[in-house]
Amino acid sequence: MTKEKKKKTHVPLRLNLLFFAVFLLFSVLILRLGLVQIVYGDDYKREIERTEEVTVNNPVPRGKMYDRNLKVMVDNEPLNAITYTRSQGTRATEMLDTAEKLAKLINKETDKITERDRKDFWILKHPDEAEAKITAADRKKVTEGELEQKDLYKLQIERITEKEINSFTDAELEVLAIYREFSSGYALTPQIVKNKDVTEEEFARVSENLDSLPGVNIMTDWDRTYAFGQTLKSVLGKVSSSDEGLPSERLDYFLSRGYSRNDRVGKSYIELQYEDVLQGNKAKVKNITDKGGNVVESQIVSEGQRGKDLVLTIDMDLQQAIENEIEKQLLQAKKAGNAKFLDRAFVVLMDPKTGEILTMAGKQYVIDKETGKPTINDYALGNISSSYTVGSSVKGATILTGYQTGAIQPNTYFLDARLNIKGTKSKGSYTSMGTINDLTALKRSSNVYMFRTAIAIAGAKYVPGEALNIKRAAFDTLRNSYAQFGLGARTGIDLPNEMVGYKGTDLLPGKLLDLAIGQYDTYTPMQLAQYVSTIANGGYRMEPHIVKEIHDPINDNTELGAVFDEMTPKVLNKLDMKDSWISRVTDGFKKVAMEQGGTAYSYFGHRSYTVAAKTGTAQAFYDGPNKDNYKGLQPTMNLSMVGFAPADNPEVAFAVVVPWAYQGHSSNGLNGKLAQFALDTYFDLKKTRQQAGETDETTENKVVTSKEVQQEQAE
């Protein structure tokens, strides 16, 4: 009985201890819950409701380009666009689901899909089969450290068969094409899914279903349009597509300036050179995201403003007329024969007082590889990116260098007879001219007069049959003097990638004589235009420019906004020469064009305007794109001409270059024909505009729109 009683009293004691322990635990739990709710409750609530604000810059249309008469050259065509903005926490399966829904509403081209895209998509669509491609042995190697986890994905990719990646239906490929655009974008940055050929029906269907398409939106995009087609297009430049985004070679440069990776930017020439003003101010959108990275609200911070507009110095009426004439003359010369290597021609017209480029025309004759037929392409860029020996056109600089160095004086006479120098092939003019002075030497284009001038500059004495002992520094003397005019130096034009030209490396006496007549170093057509402009304006080397003004953008397509910046004439240097010397060379140039016997008289002697000019013919070798088709150097002749008009009060300077114009001794005269046409057209247009009251002053702020330009073209 006693033992039974002891057992009965022992059991309740343990239960009491257990109950007490439970009581204590519940008390601690209640205290902890109270602490969390009362003391830290607001903090945890704020953490749950926490959001982040991320500001995204959306691109705006680029600025337009106009010619000097305010005709629209480059415009923006609005495009319906469908975009996708990926949230930070969006999973691949969620994007796939949205892509499948969107594919039912739009048609999407599949030509950009790559083999890798197909493999990634196959893994996404067949996760179990993709997982089965990894063996137990592969996983063991990861455990043992022979492989990394990321290597398993590489093995999956490698083991997907061609049959598997070609098993997709056309509908699935459309989904893949859309998914591909989704995944290529950056978080919270709109990515273009489709902006070409978006029909009104597609645009409406997507708009009606936006609620069921997370991340998808509709907007108006733009594309560059060119009112004058291919005319000057190579100089206007290119803009990257929405697929390209920022060019990889300049990625850091643009990112450091606030660009997004998929922004469209200028890739070349004017579009690149003036990117900072053409780009405009982006629209700012503030995306508010929750803790999971999902966008819960978007707010427009600023609407943005399209890029500023450029007014170019180019006269498109003049540009087009001259381009058409170059094309016509190239085709005629090729048909006439004796022009085997002829494939290009250039014409630059420039205001010698301001440096404004009125025309920068260049055309190239090519054979279409597919059709085998000839075609003429725009090659305006060749005016700054290619250089040639130009012959006697540079003789004005040679005469002035002779004056400056004291080698000759105005009215110095030399006997024009062939020179026989030991170790050098006999050199002379195209005919023996007798004893002539500097003016006649320019008028009739004497080589010997330039040779004798160069010999004097080099401190040498010519003795028939003996060697010339020249000072080699004479090469630098001539070249440095030429550079004062812009020959062999960058002109400073507001375009990238300007070529300087080639300087011969041999310092033999005969090469110095070749240099003096433009048959050694090479020059660009733009350098020739700057050189002759320097003579035309009395000795000021003007920096050429192709942009005249920058204007603020406005929404009214019939007017220009206020002037933001104006390109004022810039003098690069003043010739260290007497005004009377420059006037003397100008007189020689006038004799070339206006006096019978002058080498350009047949082209300008009977015009209604006066011209000062200098012709050039250079013995050269073909160095064009097809040179590898021939064995050895192929002799040919380059033609050039420079000048200005009116001769006594110049308002336009010109340079014409026709490389590899003909073979043999019979010239086709393309330099003179093109120069004559260019000046005729310039003065005809001037007269027509004066009669119509359409001078530069009266056309101020009178914009000719793209549609009006196209209508004018059609007429």
Side-chain angles (χ1 to χ4, degrees):
M1 294 291 292
T2 305
K3 290 180 179 179
E4 291 176 4
K5 287 181 179 180
K6 286 182 179 179
K7 284 182 178 181
K8 290 178 181 179
T9 57
H10 183 67
V11 173
L13 179 61
R14 290 182 176 180
L15 285 174
N16 289 335
L17 290 173
L18 179 62
F19 289 149
F20 182 70
V22 171
F23 171 76
L24 287 177
L25 291 173
F26 270 104
S27 298
V28 171
L29 180 61
I30 291 170
L31 287 172
R32 182 61 181 168
L33 289 173
L35 181 68
V36 169
Q37 184 171 357
I38 297 171
V39 179
Y40 298 111
D42 290 340
D43 292 340
Y44 285 115
K45 183 178 180 181
R46 282 193 295 270
E47 179 66 20
I48 291 172
E49 295 176 349
R50 180 172 65 87
T51 61
E52 291 186 1
E53 295 181 357
V54 180
T55 301
V56 176
N57 296 327
N58 289 340
V60 293
R62 294 176 72 80
K64 303 176 183 181
M65 297 186 203
Y66 301 83
D67 84 335
R68 67 185 299 109
N69 299 309
L70 303 189
K71 290 187 175 183
V72 174
M73 297 172 62
V74 184
D75 205 342
N76 301 303
E77 178 186 13
L79 301 173
N80 288 334
I82 298 165
T83 67
Y84 178 77
T85 305
R86 176 166 58 88
S87 299
Q88 291 174 333
T90 304
R91 295 188 297 272
T93 52
E94 294 173 331
M95 287 194 292
L96 177 60
D97 180 60
T98 303
E100 289 174 342
K101 293 177 181 177
L102 184 58
K104 296 176 181 177
L105 304 176
I106 66 172
N107 294 318
K108 177 67 177 174
E109 295 292 333
T110 60
D111 54 333
K112 294 180 181 178
I113 295 174
T114 65
E115 181 179 311
R116 182 57 180 268
D117 292 332
R118 288 172 177 260
K119 289 185 175 182
D120 287 334
F121 194 61
W122 187 88
I123 291 175
L124 187 61
K125 295 283 287 183
H126 305 85
D128 294 336
E129 294 174 53
E131 190 71 16
K133 289 187 179 291
I134 305 301
T135 66
D138 297 329
R139 300 186 190 283
K140 183 179 179 182
K141 288 180 180 179
V142 173
T143 304
E144 295 174 349
E146 293 183 34
L147 293 175
E148 295 183 20
Q149 191 68 35
K150 64 181 181 181
D151 293 326
L152 297 182
Y153 170 71
K154 294 179 182 178
L155 291 174
Q156 279 182 314
I157 292 293
E158 292 171 0
R159 292 168 183 173
I160 296 174
T161 66
E162 187 173 344
K163 180 179 179 181
E164 287 170 332
I165 64 172
N166 290 327
S167 63
F168 299 119
T169 65
D170 291 342
E172 287 176 317
L173 287 175
E174 273 198 278
V175 174
L176 168 54
I178 294 172
Y179 175 80
R180 179 181 182 274
E181 302 292 352
F182 283 7
S183 58
S184 63
Y186 297 92
L188 303 179
T189 301
Q191 172 71 14
I192 298 290
V193 177
K194 184 177 181 181
N195 63 351
K196 297 289 179 66
D197 302 321
V198 177
T199 66
E200 295 295 334
E201 291 76 11
E202 288 176 327
F203 200 70
R205 285 197 296 265
V206 173
S207 177
E208 293 168 359
N209 289 275
L210 289 178
D211 290 342
S212 62
L213 298 168
V216 176
N217 207 342
I218 55 174
M219 61 176 285
T220 300
D221 195 22
W222 55 271
D223 198 10
R224 280 308 222 190
T225 58
Y226 302 88
F228 293 90
Q230 294 298 314
T231 301
L232 209 64
K233 194 172 180 182
S234 60
V235 172
L236 298 174
K238 295 181 180 179
V239 177
S240 62
S241 67
S242 54
D243 291 333
E244 292 174 296
L246 301 181
S248 57
E249 66 273 12
R250 305 193 74 206
L251 182 63
D252 292 339
Y253 170 85
F254 284 116
L255 290 177
S256 67
R257 283 159 177 75
Y259 285 75
S260 300
R261 290 177 181 267
N262 60 349
D263 278 348
R264 302 174 65 184
V265 297
K267 292 171 59 179
S268 60
Y269 298 98
I270 294 179
E271 293 279 14
L272 172 61
Q273 187 77 12
Y274 289 90
E275 167 65 25
D276 290 347
V277 293
L278 287 170
Q279 180 69 14
N281 298 317
K282 298 180 181 179
K284 295 184 182 295
V285 178
K286 181 168 66 179
N287 290 318
I288 302 174
T289 63
D290 59 20
K291 187 180 178 182
N294 299 307
V295 177
V296 295
E297 185 181 356
S298 292
Q299 300 175 356
I300 297 176
V301 178
S302 65
E303 294 287 350
Q305 189 177 52
R306 71 172 177 84
K308 293 179 173 59
D309 299 324
L310 303 182
V311 175
L312 306 188
T313 61
I314 297 292
D315 183 332
M316 284 303 286
D317 292 334
L318 189 60
Q319 175 82 21
Q320 280 196 304
I322 292 175
E323 285 196 358
N324 290 338
E325 184 66 14
I326 294 175
E327 183 170 340
K328 170 187 167 185
Q329 292 292 344
L330 282 176
L331 292 173
Q332 286 182 354
K334 294 296 284 186
K335 290 179 180 178
N338 200 35
K340 181 178 182 180
F341 304 117
L342 172 65
D343 74 343
R344 63 194 67 186
F346 307 97
V347 177
V348 177
L349 295 186
M350 182 180 187
D351 184 330
K353 297 175 183 176
T354 65
E356 293 182 0
I357 303 300
L358 308 179
T359 296
M360 187 174 168
K363 287 291 186 176
Q364 187 173 24
Y365 175 98
V366 297
I367 300 298
D368 189 285
K369 293 181 179 179
E370 295 183 0
T371 65
K373 296 181 179 180
T375 183
I376 305 291
N377 294 337
D378 169 48
Y379 193 35
L381 272 182
N383 285 291
I384 64 168
S385 64
S386 61
S387 65
Y388 312 92
T389 52
V390 297
S392 301
S393 291
V394 306
K395 288 178 179 176
T398 301
I399 292 291
L400 283 167
T401 305
Y403 296 158
Q404 185 184 38
T405 58
I408 60 172
Q409 300 293 327
N411 207 35
T412 294
Y413 280 83
F414 285 124
L415 174 64
D416 185 308
R418 297 193 70 82
L419 303 186
N420 295 296
I421 302 169
K422 185 178 180 180
T424 300
K425 186 178 178 181
S426 173
K427 290 176 174 290
S429 303
Y430 59 88
T431 185
S432 294
M433 302 179 188
T435 302
I436 58 173
N437 67 359
D438 47 347
L439 294 181
T440 303
L442 289 172
K443 173 182 174 179
R444 300 184 62 189
S445 199
S446 167
N447 286 346
V448 173
Y449 197 97
M450 307 304 148
F451 295 157
R452 298 298 292 265
T453 300
I455 291 170
I457 291 172
K461 184 178 180 180
Y462 168 67
V463 177
E466 293 187 8
L468 273 181
N469 294 315
I470 67 169
K471 295 177 182 178
R472 293 190 173 183
F475 281 93
D476 291 334
T477 300
L478 265 179
R479 284 170 174 157
N480 291 339
S481 179
Y482 286 177
Q484 291 186 63
F485 299 87
L487 295 172
R490 285 191 171 85
T491 65
I493 190 171
D494 51 342
L495 291 171
N497 305 324
E498 181 185 7
M499 186 180 188
V500 176
Y502 169 81
K503 290 180 173 62
T505 56
D506 288 342
L507 300 180
L508 298 173
K511 296 299 183 183
L512 179 67
L513 306 190
D514 291 340
L515 177 62
I517 61 169
Q519 294 200 157
Y520 192 38
D521 289 358
T522 66
Y523 311 109
T524 68
M526 189 61 66
Q527 288 174 345
L528 283 184
Q530 187 179 55
Y531 145 68
V532 77
S533 291
T534 304
I535 295 174
N537 65 35
Y540 296 90
R541 183 163 78 102
M542 305 303 299
E543 182 180 75
H545 57 277
I546 200 166
V547 172
K548 183 180 176 72
E549 297 168 346
I550 302 174
H551 288 253
D552 287 325
I554 58 174
N555 293 327
D556 188 347
N557 286 330
T558 64
E559 292 186 4
L560 275 177
V563 175
F564 172 79
D565 194 11
E566 186 174 3
M567 310 310 166
T568 56
K570 181 178 180 181
V571 178
L572 297 178
N573 60 267
K574 172 74 167 67
L575 294 182
D576 184 20
M577 298 176 184
K578 295 180 180 179
D579 292 343
S580 60
W581 295 346
I582 299 171
S583 297
R584 177 92 176 167
V585 169
T586 298
D587 289 341
F589 279 14
K590 285 192 283 188
K591 289 178 178 293
V592 170
M594 307 308 295
E595 283 190 8
Q596 195 160 7
T599 55
Y601 178 76
S602 61
Y603 300 107
F604 298 115
H606 304 287
R607 316 316 286 178
S608 60
Y609 49 87
T610 58
V611 181
K614 185 69 196 78
T615 58
T617 304
Q619 295 177 355
F621 295 99
Y622 175 65
D623 191 32
N626 299 318
K627 64 181 179 180
D628 293 338
N629 296 342
Y630 305 94
K631 293 182 180 179
L633 299 174
Q634 300 294 310
T636 185
M637 305 297 283
N638 294 348
L639 291 176
S640 66
M641 187 183 290
V642 298
F644 46 88
D648 295 321
N649 184 25
E651 59 186 68
V652 60
F654 68 88
V656 177
V657 179
V658 187
W660 320 311
Y662 66 95
Q663 290 73 56
H665 302 287
S666 180
S667 173
N668 50 31
L670 283 181
N671 54 345
K673 294 174 183 176
L674 291 174
Q676 181 192 81
F677 179 87
L679 290 186
D680 282 353
T681 306
Y682 172 84
F683 287 109
D684 286 346
L685 281 171
K686 179 183 177 181
K687 182 178 180 180
T688 301
R689 287 167 177 165
Q690 286 175 337
Q691 291 174 345
E694 293 182 3
T695 61
D696 281 351
E697 288 74 24
T698 59
T699 57
E700 185 177 1
N701 290 335
K702 181 182 176 183
V703 170
V704 182
T705 65
S706 294
K707 289 183 178 179
E708 290 172 326
V709 168
Q710 290 166 358
Q711 183 178 357
E712 182 182 300
Q713 298 270 85
E715 293 173 351

